[in-house]
Amino acid sequence: MTSDEEILDSIRQDSGLAELLWHVCEFDLFRGEYGEPVRLSSEIALHAIAGDVIGGTFFLCGDPGGSRPVRYASSEGQAGLIGQGLNGALAIIVGLPSWWDCLKSLDPAI
């Protein structure tokens, strides 16, 4: 099994793939900071990995190693789990252009 870190490294090393993910899916590895401090009520660690054009951020949840759940938080206070791992999250982002419509409005603390 490929870890999330290996997937991220592969994207970073392939500028064409990184550019494609940015232009098609607005998944930008160089915009990984969320505007405000965020946390899960469970206190599980969040690691910002990418951002989008509207100020949202993609997070890996939990400690490094293996596959970790991926959450997305928009700048408008919506958030949601988009994959049980980065592989699945990227499949959703690429294959379902309207995935943002499935997000819920939440407290800013996610």
Side-chain angles (χ1 to χ4, degrees):
M1 173 184 262
T2 303
S3 75
D4 295 325
E5 288 79 16
E6 291 172 319
I7 294 170
L8 289 171
D9 286 342
S10 294
I11 296 169
R12 287 183 189 112
Q13 292 172 12
D14 185 337
S15 61
L17 177 57
E19 187 174 331
L20 180 67
L21 286 171
W22 165 240
H23 288 292
V24 174
C25 308
E26 296 181 3
F27 184 86
D28 186 0
L29 293 177
F30 302 105
R31 297 188 68 233
E33 292 298 320
Y34 195 67
E36 309 172 10
V38 294
R39 65 178 180 79
L40 294 172
S41 59
S42 65
E43 299 298 326
I44 292 173
L46 289 173
H47 304 276
I49 58 167
D52 66 16
V53 72
I54 60 172
T57 304
F58 298 89
F59 297 92
L60 287 175
C61 304
D63 296 324
S67 183
R68 299 184 281 168
V70 177
R71 284 188 158 264
Y72 171 82
S74 77
S75 60
E76 303 297 318
Q78 296 175 306
L81 179 69
I82 59 171
Q84 289 301 322
L86 187 54
N87 232 2
L90 288 172
I92 295 286
I93 294 166
V94 170
L96 185 61
S98 60
W99 66 269
W100 281 284
D101 294 337
C102 300
L103 297 175
K104 303 287 184 196
S105 292
L106 296 176
D107 180 71
I110 313 185

